[in-house]
Amino acid sequence: MTEKNLLDPSDIRILRALQRDASLSIAEIAKEAGMSQTPCWRRIKKLKEQGIIRQITAIIDRESVGLGFVAYSFVKLAVPSRENMETFDKLVHHWPEVVTCERITGAVDYLIKVVTDDIKTYDGFLRLKLLDNTLVSDVQSRIVVNTVKDTVALPLREN
């Protein structure tokens, strides 16, 4: 974290409240943060302007909308050049099945989290998008059998 983005305890309390439930009113967030509404609103606005709050969104229960299959795929590029990595980075943004993509170190180049209806749909994604792409030389998949913890909340701590 850069010096300009150092968070004080009030900022952290605001962020914790928003991570827990972004639909809270400014009054509810302010109460949890121990401040009045106007300063709370200003801090939230500042956190957005600084890029600390990237977006506020709804988290949907994937199984309740029929997306019950999750796999993690380790993707190895045929030639891991800067150009190929940039091309692959752009590709994954067009694949709605990929909910997370991380460029990693080691024997493979990427770790992607893929969410689909079922294993048959995942197989189609694997064959028609990943393996059909000349950038990719190998994919190793790990199928999730049970999700023990799933959160997007960061472990913010007050100093």
Side-chain angles (χ1 to χ4, degrees):
M1 181 174 353
T2 62
E3 196 169 322
K4 72 173 188 166
N5 287 337
L6 288 178
L7 301 174
D8 69 20
S10 294
D11 291 333
I12 291 170
R13 287 191 297 272
I14 289 169
L15 291 171
R16 280 186 189 147
L18 285 170
Q19 285 187 126
R20 187 178 42 71
D21 184 356
S23 69
L24 293 173
S25 68
I26 294 293
E28 292 168 315
I29 297 167
K31 184 178 178 183
E32 284 193 34
M35 58 179 36
S36 61
Q37 292 182 42
T38 302
C40 180
W41 177 82
R42 284 190 188 121
R43 282 179 181 258
I44 291 170
K45 184 178 179 208
K46 183 179 175 187
L47 292 167
K48 288 178 181 178
E49 289 168 354
Q50 291 176 326
I52 293 170
I53 297 175
R54 286 189 312 185
Q55 69 184 40
I56 296 176
T57 187
I59 299 172
I60 299 167
D61 181 80
R62 62 180 173 74
E63 290 187 10
S64 67
V65 295
L67 297 170
F69 185 84
V70 178
Y72 286 88
S73 298
F74 296 92
V75 179
K76 183 168 180 51
L77 299 183
V79 179
S81 66
R82 179 183 54 80
E83 182 181 327
N84 287 347
M85 287 181 172
E86 288 172 359
T87 302
F88 188 81
D89 292 355
K90 290 175 186 169
L91 274 175
V92 296
H93 284 282
H94 298 290
W95 296 337
E97 304 91 343
V98 177
V99 297
T100 305
C101 177
E102 309 275 3
R103 193 175 314 129
I104 60 175
T105 62
V108 297
D109 301 301
Y110 290 90
L111 172 61
I112 60 174
K113 180 179 181 181
V114 182
V115 176
T116 65
D117 306 5
D118 53 32
I119 196 164
K120 184 176 180 180
T121 308
Y122 176 74
D123 181 57
F125 168 79
L126 181 65
R127 288 182 298 106
L128 302 174
K129 291 185 179 176
L130 276 179
L131 294 174
D132 197 39
N133 192 302
T134 58
L135 292 172
V136 176
S137 68
D138 186 42
V139 177
Q140 297 178 20
S141 299
R142 302 295 183 264
I143 296 169
V144 173
V145 294
N146 184 37
T147 300
V148 177
K149 180 178 180 180
D150 184 21
T151 183
V152 294
L154 296 176
L156 299 172
R157 291 179 177 78
E158 293 181 37
N159 295 334

